[in-house]
Amino acid sequence: MTLSVAQIDRETDQLVNEWLTLPEVARRLDLSIGRAKQLLKDHKLLGVRREGSGAPQVPAVFLDGKDVMKGLPGTLTVLQDAGYDDVESLRWLFTPDDSLPGSPIEAIRAGRHTEVKRRAQALAF
């Protein structure tokens, strides 16, 4: 989502196994760094500032080869519309949900992004 000025706490930071810097995201997606930043501004990717880093970093799982994971941009938009900020969205995506099972990000990765978006839409009510 947007370039968040808030740093995430250690507990939230530990939900994500691997983080990428914006230059790493740009390299993996074969884009300029400016275009990678635009993906954050356009809410196609979510990046947060981690403790000890000045620039936002992106969970590596959000990338699928040379593309953004299918279903992620729409889910990020729904979460933003529900009033979630970047850190809250990150927590929601990576927190296990017994009814899925697994976390929402695991369900998106498994191709169940429509189900995850429906759950995200319900958060606004």
Side-chain angles (χ1 to χ4, degrees):
M1 295 184 129
T2 59
L3 302 174
S4 174
V5 293
Q7 288 187 343
I8 61 173
D9 59 42
R10 289 184 201 277
E11 183 178 324
T12 303
D13 187 45
Q14 292 174 354
L15 291 172
V16 179
N17 292 332
E18 182 185 0
W19 293 92
L20 301 173
T21 64
L22 282 179
E24 290 170 326
V25 169
R27 223 175 0 264
R28 288 191 184 191
L29 296 178
D30 198 24
L31 302 171
S32 67
I33 292 176
R35 183 64 188 123
K37 286 181 183 178
Q38 192 64 43
L39 289 173
L40 294 175
K41 289 178 186 175
D42 293 343
H43 311 293
K44 306 293 183 201
L45 276 178
L46 181 146
V48 294
R49 297 183 199 281
R50 297 173 58 220
E51 190 174 319
S53 72
Q57 294 185 11
V58 174
V61 71
F62 287 174
L63 305 184
D64 184 15
K66 292 204 175 272
D67 292 310
V68 174
M69 180 190 301
K70 184 179 178 179
L72 180 67
T75 303
L76 293 175
T77 298
V78 171
L79 288 169
Q80 182 187 26
D81 291 349
Y84 278 50
D85 66 24
D86 294 346
V87 174
E88 291 168 331
S89 294
L90 182 81
R91 285 185 194 131
W92 186 82
L93 285 166
F94 284 87
T95 299
D97 180 341
D98 291 338
S99 68
L100 280 173
S103 66
I105 198 64
E106 291 168 338
I108 293 171
R109 188 159 196 83
R112 298 187 348 250
H113 49 88
T114 303
E115 178 183 354
V116 172
K117 276 192 260 188
R118 270 191 240 121
R119 290 168 189 260
Q121 287 169 334
L123 297 172
F125 298 103

